[in-house]
Amino acid sequence: MKEYQRGQILLIVVLIMVTALTVGLSVAARSVTNTRTAEDSASSEKAFSAAEAGVEQSLTSNNTSNDSFSNNSSYKTTVVNLSGTEFQLSSGSPVLKDDSTDLWLSNYPGYTNQWGGNFTIYWGKTSDNCTQSETTNTMAALEVMVLTGTPANPHLTRYLFDPCANRQAKNNFTNIAPGAYTVAGGTYAYKSSTITVAAGSGLVVSITPLYAPTIMAVQDSGGIPSQGTVIQSTGSSGGTQREIQTYRYYPKIPAEVFQYSLFVP
């Protein structure tokens, strides 16, 4: 009977030791995890701050750059001109109704290297609806105003496009049939007629969504001047990296320039 009791005590001791060891290992593992999480969070913040510093540096110099800091973080940036035969306008974000975005056909800010050729504007989604209510209408029309000529003697040409048949009877805009177009990595439901600019005459284009906000992209025959720059900054700290992408567009031409055909370089 005494031997049996001694066996029970040994079993209880073993169970207590196993339980204590399990609890201890669990607490240690949680502590290690919390410490690692805190370190990763700190590294992530350092990397993000370094990436922001890189953006600020490239915005100031307009050049690629790299640097390191005393807190063991660093950054590296690249600056790429926003141009090509097709690209998204407003970095792919919707342009608000009655607001505008510019398409430069000459070099900013001197209006030199004036471009000539053909371009087409794409906009909208297949899910857009044309209704009488401003709150439910999601189908935009476009007003495209093209300035050509010289800064001292500009010429304004106005184009109006609307895919909504119900509105065309009232606004007399050019009818646009829906489709499915893939441009610069985005999908669009409508495209304008091809707009031709005489060689060496382009200045700037103002594109305004009417009735609803919309996403837009442009496709051109090549050689169109830069629309600004894209700054890609990568910050590093330890084994953590954070990336920031910033679009730097040229200042928008005041709407009054297009409204009243008054152009002062």
Side-chain angles (χ1 to χ4, degrees):
M1 185 70 177
K2 291 181 180 179
E3 292 180 358
Y4 175 75
Q5 289 177 341
R6 286 198 297 269
Q8 272 190 331
I9 293 172
L10 178 61
L11 180 60
I12 292 171
V13 170
V14 170
L15 289 174
I16 292 173
M17 291 179 64
V18 169
T19 302
L21 182 61
T22 301
V23 172
L25 289 175
S26 176
V27 171
R30 183 177 293 274
S31 178
V32 170
T33 300
N34 289 341
T35 301
R36 184 175 298 171
T37 300
E39 290 177 350
D40 289 345
S41 179
S43 294
S44 179
E45 290 180 3
K46 290 179 183 178
F48 186 77
S49 296
E52 285 185 319
V55 169
E56 292 296 330
Q57 178 61 33
S58 289
L59 284 173
T60 302
S61 65
N62 203 33
N63 290 314
T64 60
S65 62
N66 60 81
D67 201 355
S68 58
F69 305 98
S70 58
N71 62 354
N72 295 322
S73 64
S74 61
Y75 69 81
K76 182 178 181 181
T77 67
T78 57
V79 180
V80 179
N81 282 325
L82 182 60
S83 61
T85 56
E86 58 181 46
F87 48 87
Q88 297 178 335
L89 296 173
S90 189
S91 67
S93 299
V95 179
L96 298 179
K97 180 185 73 169
D98 299 327
D99 199 357
S100 64
T101 187
D102 294 340
L103 175 66
W104 283 84
L105 305 182
S106 57
N107 288 347
Y108 174 86
Y111 306 100
T112 58
N113 189 31
Q114 292 178 243
W115 178 82
N118 301 320
F119 70 90
T120 306
I121 301 167
Y122 298 80
W123 78 97
K125 302 177 181 179
T126 54
S127 58
D128 288 346
N129 293 314
C130 180
T131 66
Q132 297 297 323
S133 171
E134 290 188 6
T135 58
T136 58
N137 175 61
T138 57
M139 185 177 292
L142 290 190
E143 180 184 49
V144 183
M145 291 183 283
V146 184
L147 270 178
T148 57
T150 66
N153 185 27
H155 178 72
L156 180 66
T157 306
R158 190 166 179 246
Y159 301 87
L160 298 161
F161 306 102
D162 195 347
C164 179
N166 295 332
R167 294 191 299 239
Q168 289 162 12
K170 297 180 180 180
N171 60 29
N172 293 316
F173 287 12
T174 300
N175 177 43
I176 297 297
Y181 312 99
T182 300
V183 181
T187 302
Y188 302 89
Y190 316 107
K191 72 171 183 176
S192 70
S193 304
T194 299
I195 298 173
T196 301
V197 177
S201 69
L203 289 169
V204 66
V205 179
S206 176
I207 307 165
T208 305
L210 305 175
Y211 303 108
T214 190
I215 54 174
M216 293 185 287
V218 65
Q219 194 172 58
D220 61 79
S221 55
I224 200 167
S226 171
Q227 305 300 304
T229 54
V230 181
I231 300 173
Q232 181 81 40
S233 180
T234 302
S236 303
S237 178
T240 304
Q241 288 189 334
R242 296 289 297 274
E243 292 187 353
I244 299 176
Q245 183 168 281
T246 301
Y247 293 84
R248 185 182 190 181
Y249 295 104
Y250 299 132
K252 187 187 296 184
I253 298 292
E256 289 79 8
V257 169
F258 297 94
Q259 288 287 90
Y260 303 104
S261 304
L262 175 66
F263 188 64
V264 180

